[in-house]
Structure formats: structure tokens, C-alpha cells
Amino acid sequence: MFTIGCHLSASDGFLAMGQTALSIGANTFQFFTRNPRGSRAKAIDEQDVASFLALAKENDFGTLLAHAPYTINPCSKDERTREFARMTLSDDLQRMEYLPGNLYNFHPGSHTGQGIEVGITQIADTLNEILRPEQRTTVLLETMAGKGSEVGSRFEELREILNRVELSDHMGVCLDTCHVSDAGYDIVGNLDGVLAEFDRIVGLDRLKAIHINDSMNPLGAHKDRHEKIGQGFLGTEAFERIINHPALRHLPFLLETPNELSGYAAEIALLKDLRSE
Ligand code: FE
Ligand code: FE
Ligand code: ZN
């Protein structure tokens, strides 16, 4: 099964997202757990969730990906900011239990001048406070572009965080194609080599989802500006190799390209076309 979808607005609820996904040819989607800039989370509407779960079952949906708000930073030098990240992550994970068995992705954080080592320690400490043995959600560290003081643009940094998390069975990684290219990993010229390096350092068994985005900037630019599929520095042929790669093809692919729904529908159609049997 090819699990493909895109980021959708969560404002109208889960059933509406499921219906929107179907209308653009998707069988999964990504959503923000709350306003990406703000902090307020809407209460879970259990009827809406139940209706969505029925729709998802009928239509063979793949794994969903929830995304934490961009504004949280578990390794800020400001303790109140770290506390806010702990509260938000913990609350999101409780609400994710209404949709058991899915994925929750977050940006590891920016160390804001404290240094990578302190950043990694604070991120792992946060995870050790919020993860629960009984949770049914897998928490993903997103590979980052390395903009500013971002932690997680090197595979070694992700490995180090995973090493320090006690309940690391509940942890995985989401690979963002724009971010890894911006971080300097040549997935256009040497996809096999990058995946071999990922496997050696992190382990391919940790890889649970792909953010499929082209990049407005060349290899190693550390910018994090997503581009539409085929219109950036990665190019259509690289995506054809990515979605068909034996180490990746079973994963859910989520678009976060600068698009309206019609643009997403076109990209999903294109990727389905490029997908081999
Ligand atoms: Fe992200
Ligand atoms: Fe991403
Ligand atoms: Zn990004």
C-alpha cells in the first residue's frame, strides 16, 4: 500500500480532515494538534473521532501523523519556555490516546546559545518526564535543516537523544526531505549512501514517516524553505527514487509543500504515477 497524504488544517475536526484527504486522493494526513503559533488546544470531540475512525477503516487509511506546534522549544535557555514545552507535549500525548497507534512528530528544539550538548540533554530530560509506558503513540524527532541553533540536523544528534530516553521504544524519527538536504545530506545524488549512514547511526527501524518536500535552497543551505514537488533543488526524479526505495516505500509520506488543496491533489496524483508496483 502507498500511504500518501499532506498537511491539513485541523480546524473543522477529524471527520472533516478524513473527508478532505479522500477528496484529494490521500489515505493519510498530518495535522497540528493545536494552533501552530498559539497554545490553546480544542477539547477532543469523541463523536467526531469515532466518525473519523469509521471513515478511516472503511477507506483503508494508513498511519496518521500529528505535528506539535512550532513554537514549543524543549531546549530553550529560558526555563519557562521549557516548562511550556513539557506541558504542551504531555497534554498532546494524552489527547493522542483518542487515536491510538498513530505518530506524533515534534521539532527537537533550538538550544538558543546553550550549545548542542545542553540542548540534547534538555530534550531527553523533557521526553523522560512526559513519556508513559502505557502510551500507544510513537513520538518522532524530526530531522531538522540546521537553521540557527536547531538541534537534530545531524543523525548523531538524533541518536544521542534516543540513547538518553528511557522509554525509547516509544520513540522514532520523521525524515523531512527538504530538511535533510538543507542539512547537507545528498539525497539527490546519493540516496543509498545517506540511508546507509542513517541506518548505521540511527537505525532504519527507527524511521516511521517521511515529510516529502522539495527545497527552495541547495544542498547544505540550512534554510528550511519548502518548495513544491519538482520545482526546487531536489527535483522530481529524486522523489521517484525516494517513494520507491525499498527501505522507505512502506512508510507514510506526508507533503508539507506550499500548496492549496488543488495543488496537493496534483502532487499526490503525480507521486502515485511515479510509484512502482
Ligand atoms: Fe516539522
Ligand atoms: Fe517537516
Ligand atoms: Zn520545514
Side-chain angles (χ1 to χ4, degrees):
M1 181 170 107
F2 185 26
T3 307
I4 176 82
C6 66
H7 188 89
L8 294 177
S9 161
S11 55
D12 297 323
F14 287 103
L15 180 60
M17 284 190 280
Q19 288 164 338
T20 301
L22 288 174
S23 77
I24 57 172
N27 57 2
T28 183
F29 55 86
Q30 173 176 270
F31 60 98
F32 282 127
T33 51
R34 57 187 73 214
N35 181 323
R37 304 201 171 278
S39 58
R40 277 249 154 255
K42 273 203 297 191
I44 288 280
D45 175 346
E46 295 192 45
Q47 185 53 54
D48 174 50
V49 169
S51 306
F52 164 71
L53 289 174
L55 180 88
K57 195 169 175 201
E58 252 167 66
N59 293 281
D60 246 329
F61 270 55
T63 310
L64 305 182
L65 189 51
H67 197 305
Y70 291 139
T71 42
I72 62 158
N73 185 5
C75 61
S76 166
K77 61 177 186 290
D78 174 13
E79 161 56 20
R80 276 170 314 178
T81 303
R82 297 199 300 274
E83 169 60 19
F84 178 70
R86 282 195 291 276
M87 276 173 38
T88 303
L89 290 167
S90 174
D91 182 61
D92 278 357
L93 284 182
Q94 280 176 40
R95 286 180 308 113
M96 284 298 290
E97 289 298 302
Y98 287 91
L99 291 156
N102 288 299
L103 304 166
Y104 177 75
N105 173 65
F106 78 107
H107 296 178
S110 293
H111 65 68
T112 60
Q114 304 183 96
I116 285 278
E117 262 311 303
V118 173
I120 286 171
T121 302
Q122 290 177 342
I123 293 160
D125 287 351
T126 297
L127 289 164
N128 283 329
E129 282 186 53
I130 61 158
L131 295 178
R132 297 283 170 262
E134 66 277 11
Q135 74 178 54
R136 289 167 293 174
T137 300
T138 300
V139 176
L140 307 185
L141 304 167
E142 182 167 351
T143 60
M144 300 310 293
K147 195 175 57 171
S149 65
E150 275 174 355
V151 179
S153 67
R154 306 299 311 166
F155 297 159
E156 288 82 356
E157 295 165 16
L158 301 172
R159 173 77 265 168
E160 195 54 39
I161 295 168
L162 294 172
N163 282 348
R164 298 188 198 187
V165 174
E166 286 149 31
L167 298 173
S168 101
D169 283 359
H170 293 310
M171 296 291 304
V173 171
C174 172
L175 186 148
D176 186 310
T177 55
C178 167
H179 296 178
V180 287
S181 171
D182 276 29
Y185 293 103
D186 186 8
I187 54 172
V188 177
N190 187 17
L191 179 61
D192 282 334
V194 172
L195 292 177
E197 185 174 349
F198 185 94
D199 194 32
R200 182 170 53 79
I201 297 166
V202 178
L204 279 168
D205 57 329
R206 291 282 186 179
L207 190 53
K208 303 299 182 191
I210 306 285
H211 280 166
I212 183 162
N213 304 308
D214 213 324
S215 177
M216 287 187 184
N217 294 288
L219 182 68
H222 303 296
K223 294 274 203 237
D224 191 1
R225 300 280 310 281
H226 302 187
E227 181 53 283
K228 296 185 174 76
I229 297 300
Q231 297 186 25
F233 279 83
L234 302 191
T236 307
E237 285 174 25
F239 290 109
E240 182 172 6
R241 289 190 290 271
I242 289 165
I243 60 172
N244 289 307
H245 196 284
L248 307 178
R249 56 182 286 126
H250 63 287
L251 297 170
F253 293 90
L254 282 310
L255 292 155
E256 303 175 305
T257 45
N259 272 311
E260 303 293 322
L261 276 183
S262 60
Y264 279 132
E267 288 188 344
I268 289 168
L270 168 72
L271 293 167
K272 282 182 173 176
D273 231 42
L274 296 174
R275 172 85 167 190
S276 61
E277 282 308 308

